[in-house]
Amino acid sequence: MSLQGPGTAAPVAPASPASTTTSSSQPSKTSAASASAAVRGDGTTVASRARRRWRTSRMVVAGLAAALLAGAVLVTLTPTTSTIRFAADNPSPDGGMALAQVLGDQGVRVRPTTSVAEAIGLAGPGTTLLVADDYGMPDDVARSLTGTGAQVVLVAPGPELLAAATDQVTHASRSPDLATPSPARCEDPDAVAAGEVTTAGALLRLADDAQDAQVCFTDASGAGHYAVTTLDDDPDVTVRILDDATGLTNAQVTTAGNAALGLRMLGHEETLVWLVPDRPTAAGEPGGVMAMLPPWAVPLAVQLLLVVIVLALWQGRRLGPLATEDLPVVVRSSETTLGRGRLYRRSRAYGHAGASLRAGAADRIARRLGLPRSSSPDALVDAVCRATSRPWEQVLGLLYGPPPAGDVELTRLATDLDELESEVHRA
């Protein structure tokens, strides 16, 4: 057994590659662990601070997540269809989805819209513009629609729209006979292919000086349900007019030759702009911003309001009994009085200062004279007059007179009230 001195090095066995790798990687793991467990200046670690913040905010995060999930569900479940009569995306019996889908299957690109401005932007040469149920649009708007250069199809047009498109066709003054379908009785290829149609609209009639226009599906008087003419301002634009959309709706499109007429008059071009203008707001219907909101906006707003109420009830502090605590410093009453006086002077609140002086003096005088706090001003003035022998008007002016208007009047009022209190106390 041998002892080694301080300067003698002990033999060290060569380390294996495996042990070398292990020993070299161990310090990095230790340093990472120590870094993650490093204590901050407030005695916490990163992990503890993260856990505390999660505990305090998890309900808020859960509420927001629930609101977002509810909104996503509402958006997902919101139907992409409409309830507008004869709209291309309306699957109800009075909608036009069946006709629009068949046109799409035949290669026609259907562009449904309820905006007149959007329809004018989409329509143009090489397209067909369908305007249905215009509800009596203004004359300038009607002329803008018929001036796009697109082939025009009018379904149940109002007088303004019909007059803006052509002066060769007018509305007839009699109602149609809806008992039996009406045969074509004209040379228009679309009407001949349809054979006969059923409709429920007002009849159309040619003007006395009409040229290059024809009316189809007529009765004995010569009035019919369908007319073909050209645009007054552009003879190259064909105007096809159907007196009513009932025969082209989902419920009636398969009756008689309604489908054939609808497909042929709307399928002349590759693009069809299907315009059903928004109906004007009637009495009792929502208007303004509410009319422009999507149908799921109100339920989503209600759910968000409920979430806010729940969070307010959860986070709100309930009022409990008052707790008496010692003030950190002692504030003398004289300092409080001086401070309030300086505030009154800085804000030039002479009226407030005078009212405070009069209220204090009246309270002290009433207690001195044995009057209750509920005593009327007249009773207090009478008691002061008896105690001091002062005139009634003078006492009333001191205690309930007009407010002072400046420093001089305020100082005089304070002096007079002090003298009055002194007289009462001497009495």
Side-chain angles (χ1 to χ4, degrees):
M1 183 174 184
S2 62
L3 298 175
Q4 298 178 352
T8 306
V12 179
S16 63
S19 63
T20 303
T21 303
T22 302
S23 61
S24 62
S25 61
Q26 187 66 27
S28 62
K29 293 182 180 179
T30 304
S31 60
S34 60
S36 63
V39 178
R40 303 299 181 185
D42 56 355
T44 62
T45 63
V46 175
S48 64
R49 294 172 67 183
R51 287 193 298 268
R52 186 180 68 252
R53 290 176 180 176
W54 168 248
R55 284 193 301 268
T56 56
S57 62
R58 59 185 176 184
M59 293 300 297
V60 178
V61 174
L64 294 176
L68 293 176
L69 180 60
V73 171
L74 287 176
V75 172
T76 304
L77 297 180
T78 299
T80 58
T81 59
S82 70
T83 57
I84 302 175
R85 183 178 184 272
F86 195 56
D89 55 353
N90 184 359
S92 62
D94 63 344
M97 179 179 284
L99 184 61
Q101 288 183 345
V102 174
L103 286 169
D105 295 339
Q106 293 182 354
V108 178
R109 185 185 181 189
V110 181
R111 304 291 299 273
T113 181
T114 58
S115 171
V116 174
E118 184 179 1
I120 294 174
L122 294 175
T127 64
T128 300
L129 174 60
L130 164 65
V131 184
D133 294 336
D134 62 285
Y135 300 106
M137 63 175 53
D139 181 71
D140 55 343
V141 177
R143 294 190 179 278
S144 299
L145 284 171
T146 57
T148 59
Q151 303 300 313
V152 179
V153 176
L154 305 180
V155 177
E160 294 81 4
L161 182 58
L162 184 60
T166 179
D167 57 2
Q168 303 187 54
V169 180
T170 60
H171 287 106
S173 58
R174 60 182 300 273
S175 300
D177 183 8
L178 305 180
T180 58
S182 303
R185 298 193 185 101
C186 66
E187 298 179 356
D188 179 69
D190 298 341
V192 172
E196 58 182 14
V197 297
T198 58
T199 182
L203 295 174
L204 304 171
R205 185 185 299 276
L206 293 180
D208 296 336
D209 57 347
Q211 298 178 357
D212 299 328
Q214 53 182 321
V215 174
C216 305
F217 310 106
T218 58
D219 57 6
S221 66
H225 301 288
Y226 177 70
V228 181
T229 182
T230 57
L231 196 66
D232 290 342
D233 300 334
D234 189 355
D236 295 331
V237 175
T238 302
V239 180
R240 298 174 174 87
I241 308 166
L242 185 64
D243 63 347
D244 187 62
T246 303
L248 303 181
T249 59
N250 299 328
Q252 299 291 330
V253 71
T254 57
T255 304
N258 297 344
L261 179 64
L263 293 174
R264 289 182 66 91
M265 73 175 184
L266 298 177
H268 285 276
E269 304 294 341
E270 294 183 356
T271 301
L272 170 62
V273 181
W274 192 306
L275 171 63
V276 182
D278 288 330
R279 174 181 289 189
T281 302
E285 295 182 0
V289 178
M290 294 301 298
M292 297 183 291
L293 293 176
W296 49 264
V298 175
L300 179 59
V302 172
Q303 292 193 14
L304 290 177
L305 179 61
L306 292 177
V307 171
V308 171
I309 293 175
V310 171
L311 290 177
L313 294 176
W314 170 59
Q315 292 286 351
R317 295 181 180 273
R318 296 183 178 180
L319 296 178
L322 296 177
T324 303
E325 297 181 359
D326 296 333
L327 292 175
V329 294
V330 177
V331 180
R332 298 177 182 272
S333 59
S334 59
E335 295 181 5
T336 305
T337 304
L338 290 175
R340 180 174 296 181
R342 292 191 184 99
L343 290 176
Y344 282 150
R345 184 174 185 179
R346 181 182 302 173
S347 60
R348 299 182 182 275
Y350 303 113
H352 288 284
S356 178
L357 291 175
R358 282 170 167 156
D363 182 66
R364 290 189 294 271
I365 291 173
R367 283 190 281 109
R368 175 64 179 175
L369 298 177
L371 295 177
R373 298 178 63 88
S374 59
S375 299
S376 64
D378 292 340
L380 179 61
V381 173
D382 291 339
V384 173
C385 291
R386 288 192 300 268
T388 62
S389 300
R390 288 196 178 199
W392 194 87
E393 292 79 6
Q394 182 182 12
V395 176
L396 179 66
L398 282 176
L399 294 178
Y400 302 103
D407 290 332
V408 176
E409 294 184 11
L410 182 63
T411 304
R412 185 183 300 114
L413 176 63
T415 303
D416 293 343
L417 290 173
D418 185 63
E419 291 179 358
L420 181 64
E421 286 191 61
S422 299
E423 294 178 9
V424 171
H425 280 276
R426 284 197 300 269

